[in-house]
């Protein structure tokens, strides 16, 4: 038997820093549809996804959660795998960058590039935020300060390793100009423009990031997350081959047919990744495809804005197939698209409940009613004019789907399938089987009509299989079709005859748009939790009264517990011109050690008073969160600065 042709497709590996939202699932749903389509066409498919688990961000999240980075990612990765199970994502392998199979190979990749002379030791210079232990580039800073915590940063240098990316600039230009490596074309121009500005060598290790793969020749450094992450596409297949381990999959599936990635990471995939492979003397992936983003009200979906859409809520309500259909049908590959509940519900109603759901239930009901539930065989003698048109449309769809799927035009592929669904619905209205049924002499014609409808549905069940495989199975069960669908089944009409139909549940119930919108909104509110109760504003005060307060910046130089009161901490604060003792009731919120070095706000002219025997000259300002925790009000300025 001839070997099957292979096909390798990948999604980006996701950061397990948080739960994934609908934007992330968009890419995986597209990759899944292509993988299923290729399998249906008879390819030997490898579909890879996974998680990108190292780096500063994860390190920080774990610290905030009070767990180790490994514990932190293990928990989120379990959730991601659960999500893909719920969404029936048919991946063949799931790679985690913390797995030994990956770690060892990334170190091997580093050494191969190093031994080739493509990696050298140097110094990395950037802006360093000490409390966050993070380096930032000039462009990452926000108003010249740390983009994470907003505190001042300072110039700092550390030892690092660099990849001679510049060496590959000409070859990369050739690759990008030379054809179909990167799509869509607009991204090619963007990348060429980027290279044109001068491609600098790339810093590929960090001393300051601890949560990463150690550089094999220098354990003080960890490998830069992108070098680590991009390698997943080959390490999962067994490259580089390790002693006693197989690289059979690498030989079989590499180079990848498609790396599917979001627009903002196209640069890493079309510049750094091919350059790494060039350095490793390995073949390059055939295509990198950059897709657009799902937006909310034209803007980014983000937890801090509070507008993330949870796919699981939608699946619970509408089912996996309806959600997948919507994502693939509504948006145009390569472009950004706006997500709204209303567009989604309307699309589900029109295309799924009205068009497809109706066609299935009408057809099966009529076969039950008019022919004892048996699909009639084809009867050329009873052919009518409208039959030819229906057949022609049905037999033309697969070619359109193939052409569109080659270009990742899921929306057009589905639209093409729906021309058949709609034509079949119209065919029912034109042939009016309920009228034919009244005349016993028209029984042959009635049967031919029922046959053509069942055939159309059979074709649709195969055509939609890559996009909505459960619906495909349900349709086939209702039509009494046995066996797995094959793509070739879409090349023939007149395959059915004699099958027994069984009416099933409604495939897609009709949705009440207004009610759904209201309930989705209520669910979102419930998920957000109770609203914060803000303290009411106090009465207005005159400027003169405010001006009487002397507010200053100070730095805590010493902190200790009050010898006679458990709740109090005694602070020595540097006020610029003098040092003062101030006492605050925050022992339950801060340890003395945590306080030293903090910049704080002080009411400097509050009359001194004694607190359990010790004098307090002024007051430190705190904010109180919803759980009653106190936090220092902490300005960046130098001690002694006046606030007002
Ligand atoms: N870990 C890197 C990828 C490494 S691949 C070697 C990463 N992870 S990510 O979790 O931040 O993003 C993963 C993918 O999700 C990206 O391709 C990104 O474009 C995509 N999306 C994130 N939000 C999205 C939308 N709102 N809409 C569509 N895709 C979005 O980057």
């Amino acid at each position: 038997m001839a070997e099957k042709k292979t096909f390798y497709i990948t999604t980006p590996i996701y950061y397990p820093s948080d739960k994934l939202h609908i934007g992330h699932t968009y890419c995986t749903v597209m990759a899944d549809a292509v993988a299923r389509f290729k399998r249906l066409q008879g390819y030997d498919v490898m579909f890879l996804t996974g998680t990108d688990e190292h780096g500063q961000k994860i390190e920080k999240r774990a610290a905030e959660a009070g767990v180790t980075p490994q514990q932190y990612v293990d928990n989120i990765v379990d959730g991601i795998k659960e999500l893909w199970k719920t969404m029936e994502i048919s991946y063949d392998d799931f790679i985690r960058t913390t797995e030994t199979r990956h770690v060892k190979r990334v170190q091997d990749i580093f050494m191969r590039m190093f031994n080739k002379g493509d990696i050298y030791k140097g110094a990395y210079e950037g802006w360093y935020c000490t409390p966050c232990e993070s380096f930032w580039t000039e462009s990452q800073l926000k108003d010249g300060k740390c983009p994470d915590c907003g505190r001042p940063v300072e110039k700092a240098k550390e030892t690092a390793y660099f990849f001679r990316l510049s060496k590959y600039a000409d070859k990369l230009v050739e690759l990008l100009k030379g054809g179909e490596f990167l799509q869509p074309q607009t991204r090619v121009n963007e990348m060429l423009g980027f290279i044109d500005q001068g491609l600098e060598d790339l810093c590929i290790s960090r001393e300051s990031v601890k949560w990463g793969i150690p550089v094999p020749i220098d354990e003080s450094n960890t490998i830069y997350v992108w070098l680590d992450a991009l390698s997943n596409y080959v390490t999962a297949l067994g490259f580089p081959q390790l002693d006693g381990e197989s690289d059979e999959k690498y030989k079989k599936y590499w180079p990848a047919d498609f790396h599917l990635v979001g627009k903002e990471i196209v640069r890493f995939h079309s510049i750094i990744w091919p350059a790494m492979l060039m350095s490793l003397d390995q073949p390059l992936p055939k295509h990198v495809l950059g897709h657009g983003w799902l937006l909310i009200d034209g803007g980014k979906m983000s937890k801090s804005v509070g507008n993330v859409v949870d796919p699981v809520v939608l699946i619970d309500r509408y089912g996996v197939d309806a959600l997948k259909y919507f994502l693939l049908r509504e948006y145009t590959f390569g472009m950004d698209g706006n997500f709204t509940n209303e567009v989604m519900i309307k699309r589900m109603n029109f295309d799924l409940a009205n068009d497809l759901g109706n066609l299935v239930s009408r057809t099966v009901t009529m076969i039950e009613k008019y022919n004892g539930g048996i699909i009639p065989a084809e009867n050329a003698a009873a052919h009518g004019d409208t039959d030819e048109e229906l057949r022609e449309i049905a037999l033309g769809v697969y070619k359109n789907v193939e052409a569109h799927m080659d270009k990742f035009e899921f929306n057009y592929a589905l639209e093409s399938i729906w021309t058949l669904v709609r034509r079949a619905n119209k065919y029912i209205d034109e042939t009016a089987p309920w009228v034919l049924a009244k005349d016993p002499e028209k029984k042959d014609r009635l049967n031919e009509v029922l046959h053509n409808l069942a055939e159309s549905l059979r074709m649709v069940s195969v055509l939609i299989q890559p996009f909505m495989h459960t619906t495909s199975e349900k349709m086939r069960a209702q039509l009494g079709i046995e066996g797995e669908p094959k793509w070739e089944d879409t090349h023939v009409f007149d395959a059915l005859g004699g099958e027994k139909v069984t009416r099933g549940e409604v495939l897609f119930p009709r949705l009440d748009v207004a009610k759904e919108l209201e309930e989705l909104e209520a669910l979102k509110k419930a998920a957000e939790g109770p609203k914060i109760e803000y303290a009411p504003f106090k009465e207005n005060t005159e400027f003169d009264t405010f001006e009487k307060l002397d507010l200053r910046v100070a730095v805590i130089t010493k902190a200790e517990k009050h010898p006679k009161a458990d709740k109090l901490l005694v602070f020595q604060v540097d006020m610029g011109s003098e040092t003062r003792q101030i006492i605050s009731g925050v022992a339950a919120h801060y340890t003395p050690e945590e306080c030293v070095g903090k910049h704080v706000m002080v009411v400097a002219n509050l009359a001194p008073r004694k607190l359990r025997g010790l004098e307090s000259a002024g007051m430190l300002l705190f904010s109180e969160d919803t759980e009653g925790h106190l936090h220092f009000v902490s300005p960046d300025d130098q001690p002694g600065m006046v606030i007002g």
Side-chain angles (χ1 to χ4, degrees):
M1 209 171 80
E3 288 261 306
K4 277 187 178 181
K5 276 207 282 184
T6 61
F7 182 83
Y8 180 26
I9 184 163
T10 66
T11 71
I13 48 174
Y14 297 92
Y15 287 130
S17 49
D18 229 319
K19 245 172 78 173
L20 300 188
H21 57 60
I22 193 138
H24 299 112
T25 64
Y26 173 54
C27 177
T28 302
V29 164
M30 290 192 280
D32 184 62
V34 175
R36 288 179 186 272
F37 179 65
K38 287 289 169 182
R39 287 191 200 107
L40 185 61
Q41 285 191 313
Y43 284 78
D44 175 344
V45 172
M46 172 74 190
F47 169 19
L48 178 70
T49 189
T51 39
D52 181 3
E53 307 186 7
H54 292 120
Q56 209 165 269
K57 195 162 147 192
I58 305 270
E59 206 172 1
K60 250 195 238 171
R61 282 293 174 91
E64 280 160 19
V67 294
T68 65
Q70 190 66 54
Q71 284 167 332
Y72 185 83
V73 293
D74 283 352
N75 180 36
I76 304 232
V77 171
D78 282 350
I80 294 178
K81 285 189 171 170
E82 198 53 42
L83 174 66
W84 296 151
K85 202 167 146 202
T86 306
M87 297 198 75
E88 298 169 7
I89 300 300
S90 64
Y91 60 77
D92 297 291
D93 197 357
F94 188 106
I95 182 132
R96 300 183 54 178
T97 57
T98 50
E99 286 175 274
T100 314
R101 63 168 171 158
H102 177 76
V103 172
K104 279 187 178 168
R105 290 190 169 89
V106 168
Q107 290 185 319
D108 196 327
I109 285 173
F110 185 99
M111 287 317 295
R112 285 175 187 228
M113 292 166 69
F114 181 80
N115 291 335
K116 180 145 183 206
D118 278 353
I119 289 179
Y120 60 92
K121 194 170 181 173
Y124 177 75
E125 214 179 320
W127 292 99
Y128 193 67
C129 172
T130 314
C132 293
E133 296 178 16
S134 307
F135 264 102
W136 303 105
T137 60
E138 183 87 39
S139 63
Q140 284 173 320
L141 299 180
K142 231 159 105 192
D143 303 326
K145 304 224 168 94
C146 170
D148 261 10
C149 72
R151 279 180 274 212
V153 286
E154 51 202 54
K155 263 244 139 98
K157 238 183 187 182
E158 62 175 30
T159 312
Y161 290 82
F162 286 81
F163 169 41
R164 290 186 204 283
L165 185 60
S166 54
K167 172 175 158 185
Y168 295 98
D170 292 344
K171 275 186 156 182
L172 289 169
V173 169
E174 205 179 300
L175 171 72
L176 287 163
K177 281 190 175 163
E180 307 219 308
F181 173 70
L182 174 61
Q183 290 161 29
Q185 186 60 33
T186 45
R187 304 269 170 238
V188 175
N189 300 337
E190 238 174 80
M191 292 307 117
L192 288 171
F194 180 77
I195 298 176
D196 213 35
Q197 289 169 11
L199 206 52
E200 285 178 15
D201 288 350
L202 178 75
C203 178
I204 51 155
S205 77
R206 293 284 192 278
E207 215 174 78
S208 49
V209 179
K210 297 293 166 237
W211 179 238
I213 301 178
V215 168
I217 43 166
D218 184 348
E219 300 255 322
S220 70
N221 266 252
T222 57
I223 295 173
Y224 174 51
V225 275
W226 274 100
L227 193 103
D228 168 358
L230 289 162
S231 304
N232 91 88
Y233 301 129
V234 292
T235 61
L237 300 180
F239 176 86
Q241 190 184 15
L242 300 177
D243 274 351
E245 288 184 33
S246 154
D247 67 348
E248 199 184 306
K249 279 193 185 162
Y250 183 71
K251 289 195 185 114
K252 186 168 176 189
Y253 295 109
W254 191 257
D257 290 85
F258 291 100
H259 290 316
L260 203 55
V261 302
K263 60 179 185 179
E264 88 289 11
I265 59 172
V266 160
R267 184 153 65 88
F268 300 95
H269 286 81
S270 59
I271 293 181
I272 301 177
W273 180 225
M276 279 172 65
L277 289 164
M278 286 170 189
S279 171
L280 293 164
D281 295 311
Q282 296 302 309
L284 306 183
K286 293 179 203 159
H287 305 287
V288 169
L289 290 190
H291 64 77
W293 274 34
L294 294 193
L295 305 175
I296 301 281
D297 298 327
K300 221 174 155 176
M301 219 177 279
S302 96
K303 211 176 162 189
S304 53
V305 181
N307 62 359
V308 286
V309 176
D310 183 353
V312 178
V313 171
L314 303 178
I315 292 168
D316 282 349
R317 245 180 133 72
Y318 309 114
V320 181
D321 281 11
L323 183 65
K324 281 185 179 171
Y325 174 82
F326 168 70
L327 291 174
L328 295 168
R329 173 63 188 87
E330 190 62 34
Y331 302 104
T332 303
F333 191 90
M335 316 253 285
D336 288 344
N338 217 32
F339 178 91
T340 73
N341 287 332
E342 186 172 353
V343 173
M344 175 187 72
I345 294 164
K346 286 187 173 161
R347 178 63 82 185
M348 289 173 178
N349 259 354
F350 291 136
D351 296 6
L352 299 180
N354 288 4
D355 292 344
L356 182 59
N358 241 346
L359 178 65
V360 174
S361 80
R362 284 166 102 189
T363 304
V364 173
T365 307
M366 288 191 296
I367 294 173
E368 282 192 338
K369 201 162 158 196
Y370 304 136
N371 202 42
I374 304 297
I375 298 176
E378 123 95 343
N379 178 358
H383 238 58
D385 286 345
T386 45
D387 300 9
E388 243 359 270
E389 203 191 319
L390 180 69
R391 277 165 173 265
E392 242 171 62
I393 288 176
L395 284 167
V397 178
Y398 79 90
K399 288 193 193 117
N400 292 334
V401 173
E402 283 172 4
H404 291 309
M405 288 301 278
D406 275 351
K407 292 187 266 176
F408 284 62
E409 293 169 344
F410 306 97
N411 53 344
Y412 297 135
L414 286 166
E415 176 56 24
S416 169
I417 300 172
W418 255 250
T419 53
L420 171 58
V421 173
R422 294 202 187 100
R423 187 64 191 85
N425 267 324
K426 195 168 149 219
Y427 177 83
I428 298 181
D429 300 337
E430 287 168 352
T431 54
W434 49 92
V435 177
L436 298 174
K438 288 189 184 132
D439 183 350
E441 283 188 16
K442 300 216 168 117
K443 178 68 180 143
D444 281 356
R445 176 67 192 139
L446 172 63
N447 276 359
E448 180 63 1
V449 166
L450 297 178
H451 169 83
N452 287 338
L453 286 169
E455 268 307 310
S456 303
L457 279 183
R458 179 192 59 79
M459 302 269 270
V460 172
S461 79
V462 186
L463 292 162
I464 64 166
Q465 196 272 351
F467 314 98
M468 318 164 81
H469 69 276
T470 309
T471 304
S472 161
E473 278 163 26
K474 285 184 185 165
M475 284 172 63
R476 295 168 76 81
Q478 292 201 31
L479 291 168
I481 304 172
E482 280 173 7
E484 290 298 307
K486 290 192 295 300
W487 191 240
E488 292 74 43
D489 299 346
T490 59
H491 305 8
V492 288
F493 210 80
D494 301 330
L496 296 177
E499 290 77 6
K500 171 106 180 69
V501 301
T502 321
R503 217 180 320 163
E505 52 172 321
V506 172
L507 289 181
F508 301 99
R510 221 192 128 69
L511 305 166
D512 176 335
V513 183
K515 183 170 154 263
E516 289 304 318
L517 289 178
E518 211 173 281
E519 288 184 13
L520 285 174
E521 198 49 38
L523 283 173
K524 188 161 174 263
K525 288 231 166 75
E528 280 166 6
K531 271 244 173 298
I532 299 171
E533 293 275 343
Y534 291 100
F537 291 105
K538 292 181 186 165
E539 255 177 53
N540 282 356
T541 184
E542 292 306 318
F543 185 69
D544 292 355
T545 318
F546 168 73
E547 237 198 352
K548 285 184 189 149
L549 282 182
D550 190 347
L551 297 176
R552 301 282 174 129
V553 179
V555 174
I556 298 176
T557 53
K558 198 172 164 203
E560 55 198 349
K561 290 197 164 149
H562 192 298
K564 290 195 199 139
D566 289 350
K567 289 189 182 152
L568 302 181
L569 290 182
V570 182
F571 298 109
Q572 305 302 321
V573 296
D574 172 5
M575 307 276 298
S577 52
E578 61 182 69
T579 298
R580 285 202 196 174
Q581 174 166 292
I582 301 181
I583 300 176
S584 306
V586 284
H589 307 277
Y590 285 98
T591 62
E593 300 75 50
E594 280 175 322
C595 302
V596 176
K598 281 210 185 298
H599 287 229
V600 290
M601 258 170 86
V602 176
V603 185
N605 60 340
L606 197 67
R609 60 175 177 147
K610 284 219 162 142
L611 289 170
R612 304 294 295 266
L614 293 179
E615 185 170 273
S616 180
M619 186 169 91
L620 302 188
L621 294 188
F622 293 88
S623 61
E624 187 175 347
D625 67 22
T626 47
E627 279 152 29
H629 299 301
L630 295 181
H631 305 268
F632 283 106
V633 176
S634 185
D636 295 330
D637 265 320
Q638 297 305 309
M641 297 295 112
V642 174
I643 300 169

